[in-house]
Amino acid sequence: MDVIRIILAILLPPVGVFLQVGLGLHFWINILLTILGYIPGIVHAVWIIARR
């Protein structure tokens, strides 16, 4: 299941974070990072998924 989350995190970072943590603080941080730059959103999403 983590492989699917990581693939989704690369394609759509907020979706990968949402599947991992739900509508928590990390989801909103990832939305902001993805808006500011796609690469920071990906890095944050993969970090969240790999950490848990």
Side-chain angles (χ1 to χ4, degrees), residues 8-38:
L8 282 173
I10 292 170
L11 298 175
L12 296 167
V15 174
V17 174
F18 174 75
L19 291 175
Q20 187 71 26
V21 297
L23 287 175
L25 177 64
H26 288 292
F27 173 75
W28 296 109
I29 290 172
N30 190 267
I31 292 269
L32 180 65
L33 287 171
T34 303
I35 289 171
L36 293 175
Y38 189 67

Side-chain angles (χ1 to χ4, degrees), residues 1-10 49:
M1 187 68 174
D2 282 343
V3 174
I4 295 171
R5 287 184 188 141
I6 289 176
I7 291 170
L8 282 173
I10 292 170
I49 293 168

